[in-house]
Amino acid sequence: MKQVLKQNPVSGVFKCLVRSVTNVFLHEGRLQLHSEKLGKPLCFYNVWLRDHCRCNECYHVRTNQRLFDILKLDQDSVSKINKACVKEDLLTVSWADGHKSTYSINWLLQHTHQLKSRNSLELWDSSNLKIDYYPYEKFMSCDKVLRDFLVAMVSKGVAIVSDVPPSVIKTRETVERLSPVMKTFYGEMWEFSDNLEYSDTAYTSDAIESHTDTTYMLQSVGIQVLHCLKHNGEGGENTLVDGFNCVKQFKNESYQGYNMLSSLSTPGEYIDGERHYKCDLPMLLHNQENELIRVRYNTHDRAPLETVPPTLIPEYYRHLIHLTKIIRNPKNVYLLKLTPGNVIFMDNWRILHGRLAYTGARVMTGCYIDRSDFESSARFFNVLP
Ligand SMILES: C[N+](C)(C)CCCC[C@H](N)C(=O)O
Ligand SMILES: O=C(O)CCC(=O)C(=O)O
């Protein structure tokens, strides 16, 4: 990614909140910040505050690493507060062991679980998906356009950079504006057609049902990038499906099915002459707030089902078929013919993609982006917390 200034606007929400924090109250083992805007006190435990001291003694400001030894929190005096006060955007704490810590209130508001909210996702189906297009020249040169692209990727899971010169190298340059290209056993930038270069139907002209890639890897790749360099034939349209929207429908229709596919593993595998990749994880994965964060769905790449107790197998298949019918429902399937110049980026943890069968010569290039790299780029531009 081209070097850019660290994007670090204080989000508007916290600016007004910061000014509203007026009082601090000490209680046994914790401190409360009162804000008339919030209407409720924000509670910070002493041990948390002490552990998050950002003075030069407790935190290496150059490396952003902690120097404070967590075992010190065992000593009562270390996390006992003698005095605390709020002045403008700063909370100052004087600890019983003599240490002094100063916190930006804006920082505290941004890092307390009490105010955490999930990024707003725009769930879509074929009737309301509007894919945003970002012209190559602007995407490559303007940080605001790049940030807008990231906002679209986080909210919709799909975006296109248009007018990209139809070559592997220019596609790579486009990707590297955002994040490094991820290397897998398919290589870095791939160029594929119906030559069965790899043991996968992507390397044929057959239809491929909507799926997420690399369900056979212990962590599915974060983003899939595709660019059609050439196609002189019929068919080859890509399907796009919002997996998160489909799972929402599935959960509404069958909470039991949602729970089963969120708990029992659906193993994926990739096998060829020299490789056997396999991953035993549930199809639907969640974070600690029980929010859906990843869909691992690929009916083609499923490994032999050894992970479901025999008595649950009939029910498991009923639920898998139920979810598949939702995924294949035309109202959930957005059809798009990729043409040279349009580079599509898809969130492989959320968006399913597939392809209709095609005739003629079709050459695609693309790559994967590691999830951590993508999220780091989005965080760098303050698009993710
Ligand atoms: C993208 N590229 C053409 C390199 C490989 C495609 C592999 C698709 C595989 N069935 C999967 O779902 O991971
Ligand atoms: O050929 C395409 O357009 C997509 C192939 C595919 O599904 C994949 O690469 O995962």
Side-chain angles (χ1 to χ4, degrees):
M1 184 168 69
K2 280 185 176 172
Q3 284 314 309
V4 289
L5 290 176
K6 170 77 181 152
Q7 317 283 327
N8 201 7
V10 171
S11 69
V13 170
F14 291 122
K15 263 182 188 166
C16 65
L17 268 183
V18 168
R19 284 194 294 272
S20 73
V21 171
T22 49
N23 300 315
V24 53
F25 298 93
L26 298 180
H27 300 279
E28 181 57 36
R30 66 193 197 289
L31 165 156
Q32 283 188 340
L33 293 179
H34 278 233
S35 138
E36 67 268 11
K37 272 245 188 303
L38 262 180
K40 65 170 184 171
L42 282 175
C43 174
F44 294 90
Y45 280 87
N46 294 2
V47 283
W48 185 93
L49 283 168
R50 189 70 182 81
D51 181 38
H52 287 81
C53 179
R54 287 304 194 250
C55 78
N56 292 334
E57 191 185 318
C58 299
Y59 194 73
H60 197 302
V61 283
R62 280 275 291 121
T63 67
N64 291 300
Q65 289 174 295
R66 298 189 195 208
L67 302 172
F68 178 72
D69 180 357
I70 194 155
L71 289 183
K72 279 189 181 168
L73 288 176
D74 252 350
Q75 302 143 30
D76 200 30
S77 65
V78 163
S79 49
K80 202 170 176 58
I81 294 177
N82 276 351
K83 197 174 74 171
C85 68
V86 164
K87 191 158 184 273
E88 290 165 9
D89 170 25
L90 294 180
L91 165 69
T92 304
V93 172
S94 302
W95 300 95
D97 69 344
H99 192 76
K100 190 173 259 188
S101 303
T102 305
Y103 306 87
S104 146
I105 292 179
N106 174 57
W107 187 92
L108 291 173
L109 299 183
Q110 289 203 20
H111 293 87
T112 175
H113 184 271
Q114 302 160 84
L115 294 178
K116 277 285 166 225
S117 62
R118 176 163 203 178
N119 290 298
S120 59
L121 299 179
E122 250 183 85
L123 302 184
W124 50 263
D125 60 31
S126 62
S127 66
N128 58 16
L129 171 60
K130 181 188 165 304
I131 298 180
D132 301 298
Y133 285 69
Y134 299 86
Y136 170 71
E137 292 300 336
K138 282 265 184 217
F139 179 80
M140 297 301 285
S141 58
C142 173
D143 290 345
K144 184 185 176 311
V145 171
L146 176 57
R147 186 176 191 279
D148 291 346
F149 170 90
L150 285 163
V151 169
M153 280 301 292
V154 169
S155 61
K156 296 180 188 174
V158 59
I160 288 179
V161 179
S162 59
D163 311 313
V164 177
S167 70
V168 175
I169 188 68
K170 287 300 182 187
T171 307
R172 179 172 193 133
E173 280 178 18
T174 305
V175 173
E176 288 177 336
R177 165 72 166 135
L178 176 69
S179 297
V181 169
M182 179 181 183
K183 182 171 185 171
T184 67
F185 65 83
Y186 296 111
E188 293 184 15
M189 292 302 294
W190 3 271
E191 211 172 334
F192 64 97
S193 59
D194 58 346
N195 61 7
L196 261 182
E197 181 189 1
Y198 285 87
S199 159
D200 192 280
T201 49
Y203 296 83
T204 72
S205 57
D206 299 347
I208 307 174
E209 294 298 350
S210 299
H211 63 279
T212 61
D213 272 23
T214 67
T215 49
Y216 40 82
M217 290 187 183
L218 299 181
Q219 185 184 78
S220 324
V221 296
I223 305 293
Q224 163 139 357
V225 180
L226 287 175
H227 186 185
C228 177
L229 297 181
K230 180 180 85 172
H231 182 206
N232 54 15
E234 301 300 316
E237 289 83 358
N238 287 103
T239 60
L240 295 176
V241 177
D242 184 349
F244 280 16
N245 196 24
C246 290
V247 171
K248 182 180 173 186
Q249 294 166 48
F250 179 54
K251 185 177 180 179
N252 290 336
E253 293 172 13
S254 170
Y255 193 72
Q256 196 171 348
Y258 166 79
N259 270 336
M260 181 173 273
L261 296 187
S262 298
S263 48
L264 294 181
S265 100
T266 298
E269 71 178 3
Y270 172 93
I271 302 172
D272 68 20
E274 54 199 76
R275 306 175 183 92
H276 187 167
Y277 286 81
K278 192 174 176 192
C279 174
D280 274 4
L281 279 174
M283 194 168 271
L284 309 177
L285 298 164
H286 302 75
N287 63 15
Q288 69 166 17
E289 321 294 336
N290 206 27
E291 293 164 334
L292 181 68
I293 53 168
R294 185 168 15 141
V295 175
R296 291 177 57 257
Y297 179 95
N298 189 321
T299 49
H300 298 297
D301 292 0
R302 286 176 302 126
L305 190 67
E306 307 151 355
T307 53
V308 175
T311 52
L312 294 178
I313 284 185
E315 182 188 350
Y316 168 87
Y317 278 106
R318 279 200 308 277
H319 296 321
L320 178 56
I321 290 164
H322 183 172
L323 175 58
T324 299
K325 286 179 176 172
I326 293 171
I327 287 168
R328 302 224 189 130
N329 183 327
K331 80 175 175 65
N332 289 320
V333 182
Y334 184 92
L335 218 47
L336 172 72
K337 177 67 180 162
L338 287 176
T339 52
N342 287 330
V343 178
I344 192 167
F345 291 68
M346 299 171 284
D347 177 344
N348 187 60
W349 280 26
R350 167 183 170 185
I351 306 299
L352 284 62
H353 65 281
R355 179 191 70 203
L356 304 189
Y358 65 87
T359 62
R362 180 176 184 267
V363 178
M364 302 289 287
T365 187
C367 65
Y368 292 131
I369 297 175
D370 176 85
R371 186 73 187 187
S372 302
D373 288 336
F374 169 74
E375 292 196 3
S376 167
S377 299
R379 212 163 278 122
F380 186 82
F381 281 89
N382 266 305
V383 176
L384 278 177

